[in-house]
């Protein structure tokens, strides 16, 4: 596939803001997406583990992790849409071709995701108090986990197929006979997928440190449970670090020839250093984990490490497509649209900032108070402001739409 053909597949309308904006936002939002995916997977596995035990601390943890998994799956889905939008803007020749080649799986993706989501809620519906009641129907959770992994596998294949334009024709027309069915998943790397999935172990460990610190601030915190959580989180962090190193090494050792440069690049060293720091941080912090905001630091540093890993993943894509196929994602035709650019950033910063601050404050405070939580007047004002801003956003959206339509 030569560069001219790839460029011909671009949208002639161009992009509404500088391509670098889409590239950077793609990396940032993908890192958030994968963080939520990893919390969801890690929390689901811990739930399954705990639900099969009789130990009261394990059962208590299972209840808490089920609540985490339920929220994390929604966050993962919402935060999956953002990189989906960015990748299809600057890499459209690759993304759409990869999708069309496996079209049935792209459509099945949604159905499988819905089934996985329902299975998780079916488990929750039957086990609303895991800490106090025996487990009913653990297989619901097992099915949910399996389906979520299939969903992730489909996303992996699409991300991977886009890197292999030289194979597209042989997938589309094997032995010269066209197969337009889109029924196969053609290109994949088990080691790459394993790396992103196994990182869940370290991510859920970092989450457990934060969960433990959060519980400490509650008036009814249970010292026995907190003491039990600490070595569990530490063991998971160690295991997670080792699994990430092992699967990452296999991935790098099995890179196809045109991507081999990546294995010895500074990107890999930066990613490895960030992951190493994140996984050793809890040991370095020691007793400080129980004081102030230190207990939340492993998760914060873990999130930054995921951004570095996301940047390395993006570098692999950008430079492979540029170096081996002559495609420069940053020379996309620019057709600047100030309204949509400003609207995006204002929505993100102002609306996102205010509404998220309100929701997170209420969730945080209600979790740390006993009995019925009543928000303070300042928090209530923040809630009213959130609703006001949402209404204003919807009004301006339709007003501009009607104005453009009527002109
Ligand atoms: C809930 C289960 C999900 C799992 C386990 C999962 C897992 C993953 C993994 C492992 C990757 C990296 C693949 C690779 O680079 O090899 C990925 C990428 C991606 N995921 Fe998800 N994902 C899930 C759901 C979703 C959903 C619901 C969406 C969209 C609505 C989504 C959108 C994306 C996109 C767009 C990418 C690629 C981004 C890029 O290449 O820039 N994912 N996902």
């Amino acid at each position: 596939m030569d560069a001219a053909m790839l460029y011909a597949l671009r949208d002639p309308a161009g992009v509404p803001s500088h391509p670098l904006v889409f590239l950077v936002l793609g990396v940032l939002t993908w890192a958030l997406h994968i963080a939520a995916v990893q919390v969801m997977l890690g929390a689901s596995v811990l739930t399954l583990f705990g639900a099969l035990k009789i130990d009261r601390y394990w059962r208590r943890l299972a209840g808490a992790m089920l609540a985490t998994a339920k929220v994390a799956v929604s966050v993962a889905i919402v935060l999956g849409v953002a990189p989906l939008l960015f990748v299809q803007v600057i890499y459209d020749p690759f993304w759409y071709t990869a999708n069309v080649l496996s079209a049935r799986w792209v459509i099945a993706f949604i159905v499988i995701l819905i089934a996985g989501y329902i299975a998780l809620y079916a488990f929750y519906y039957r086990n609303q108090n895991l800490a106090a009641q025996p487990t009913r129907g653990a297989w619901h959770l097992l099915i949910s986990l399996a389906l979520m992994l299939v969903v992730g596998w489909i996303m992996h294949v699409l991300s991977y197929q886009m890197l292999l334009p030289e194979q597209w024709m042989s997938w589309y027309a094997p032995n010269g006979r066209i197969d337009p069915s889109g029924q196969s998943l053609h290109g994949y790397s088990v080691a790459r997928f394993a790396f992103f999935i196994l990182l869940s172990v370290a991510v859920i460990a970092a989450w457990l440190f934060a969960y433990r610190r959060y519980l400490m601030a509650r008036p009814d915190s249970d010292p026995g449970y907190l003491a039990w959580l600490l070595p569990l989180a530490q063991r998971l962090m160690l295991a997670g670090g080792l699994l990430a190193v092992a699967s990452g090494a296999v991935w790098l050792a099995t890179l196809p020839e045109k991507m081999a440069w990546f294995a010895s690049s500074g990107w890999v060293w930066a990613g490895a250093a960030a992951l190493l720091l994140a996984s050793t941080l809890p040991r370095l912090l020691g007793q400080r984990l129980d004081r102030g905001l230190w207990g939340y630091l492993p998760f914060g540093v873990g999130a930054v490490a995921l951004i570095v890993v996301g940047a390395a993943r993006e570098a692999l894509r950008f430079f492979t497509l540029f170096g081996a196929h002559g495609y420069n994602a940053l020379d996309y035709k620019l057709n600047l649209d100030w309204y949509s650019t400003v609207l995006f950033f204002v929505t993100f910063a102002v609306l996102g900032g205010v509404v998220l601050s309100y929701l997170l404050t209420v969730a945080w405070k209600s979790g740390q108070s006993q009995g019925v939580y009543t928000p303070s007047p300042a928090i209530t004002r923040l809630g009213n402001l959130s609703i006001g801003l949402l209404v204003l956003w919807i009004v301006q959206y339709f007003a501009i739409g009607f104005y453009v339509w009527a002109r």
Side-chain angles (χ1 to χ4, degrees):
M1 186 74 50
D2 64 359
M5 176 61 111
L6 293 168
Y7 274 80
L9 289 169
R10 276 185 169 178
D11 185 347
V15 292
S17 200
H18 195 282
L20 189 62
V21 172
F22 294 92
L23 192 89
V24 172
L25 288 174
V27 170
L28 290 178
T29 53
W30 182 80
L32 294 175
H33 163 63
I34 207 69
V37 163
Q38 286 158 345
V39 169
M40 182 258 297
L41 293 176
S44 300
V45 172
L46 284 180
T47 307
L48 193 61
F49 238 80
L52 297 175
K53 299 221 180 215
I54 40 171
D55 179 86
R56 71 188 172 103
Y57 288 155
W58 263 112
R59 297 202 66 82
R60 181 169 171 188
L61 180 65
M65 289 300 109
L66 180 56
T68 304
K70 272 194 305 140
V71 177
V73 70
S74 311
V75 178
I77 294 170
V78 172
L79 290 175
V81 178
L84 184 60
L85 300 181
F86 298 126
V87 72
Q88 68 192 341
V89 171
I90 50 171
Y91 290 112
D92 49 346
F94 304 88
W95 182 255
Y96 286 124
T97 310
N99 275 245
V100 169
L101 284 165
S102 304
R104 288 196 190 189
W105 287 95
V106 177
I107 296 166
F109 169 85
I110 292 292
V111 181
I112 300 171
L113 180 62
I114 292 172
Y117 203 101
I118 291 176
L120 182 64
Y121 269 82
F123 178 78
Y124 169 63
Y125 179 72
R126 306 191 74 192
N127 296 281
Q128 297 193 18
N129 191 357
L130 272 173
Q133 283 160 4
T135 307
R136 293 167 61 210
W139 56 273
H140 285 113
L141 188 54
L142 201 61
I143 290 177
S144 166
L145 245 173
L147 293 177
M148 293 301 180
L149 287 175
V150 175
V151 167
W153 179 252
I154 297 173
M155 273 301 147
H156 159 70
V157 171
L158 298 178
S159 303
Y160 201 66
Q161 286 181 174
M162 64 184 286
L163 300 179
L164 304 169
E166 69 278 14
Q167 298 196 38
W168 291 349
M169 271 314 285
S170 65
W171 293 335
Y172 178 61
N175 302 317
R177 292 181 59 148
I178 292 178
D179 171 13
S181 67
Q183 65 182 7
S184 305
L185 293 171
H186 307 274
Y188 50 83
S189 156
V190 176
R192 172 175 165 145
F193 182 66
F195 172 71
F196 290 127
I197 297 301
L198 290 175
L199 263 183
S200 310
V201 180
V203 170
I204 199 64
W207 183 263
L208 282 186
F209 285 112
Y211 165 65
R212 186 176 163 274
R213 180 67 194 88
Y214 180 75
L215 286 185
M216 261 177 204
R218 280 179 64 111
D220 58 347
S221 69
D222 169 357
Y225 182 53
L226 297 177
W228 176 83
L229 276 173
L230 186 61
L232 175 68
Q234 277 163 341
R235 277 201 306 274
L236 283 174
M237 189 54 106
L238 182 67
L242 293 175
L243 287 170
V245 169
S247 55
V250 177
W251 173 28
L252 295 177
T254 53
L255 281 170
E257 202 182 322
K258 68 173 184 178
M259 300 179 205
W261 62 270
F262 182 65
S264 54
S265 70
W267 297 100
V268 167
W269 288 111
L275 288 178
L276 187 72
L277 174 66
S279 56
T280 47
L281 188 64
R283 297 260 169 202
L284 297 176
L285 288 176
Q287 299 281 313
R288 261 180 298 181
L289 281 171
D290 296 356
R291 292 202 296 270
L293 294 176
W294 292 105
Y296 300 107
L297 197 61
F299 193 75
V301 172
V304 175
L306 286 180
I307 294 177
V308 179
V309 170
R313 175 181 174 276
E314 186 57 54
L316 172 63
R317 171 161 62 192
F318 182 88
F319 290 112
T320 298
L321 297 183
F322 185 46
H325 300 281
Y327 182 89
N328 181 356
L330 293 180
D331 69 4
Y332 218 112
K333 182 177 140 194
L334 182 59
N335 195 357
L336 198 62
D337 175 352
W338 277 112
Y339 170 69
S340 66
T341 303
V342 171
L343 180 67
F344 174 81
F345 282 107
V346 170
T347 306
F348 186 70
V350 181
L351 207 68
V354 173
V355 176
L356 270 182
S357 313
Y358 173 67
L359 293 177
L360 290 176
T361 313
V362 170
W364 185 276
K365 295 237 173 220
S366 60
Q368 292 204 327
S369 36
Q370 269 178 314
V372 176
Y373 161 68
T374 313
S376 68
I379 296 178
T380 305
R381 272 200 299 280
L382 194 63
N384 291 338
L385 182 64
S386 306
I387 296 170
L389 283 172
L390 275 171
V391 172
L392 195 67
W393 194 98
I394 294 169
V395 170
Q396 74 77 33
Y397 180 82
F398 282 104
I400 294 280
F402 280 123
Y403 169 73
V404 172
W405 172 72
R407 265 204 320 164

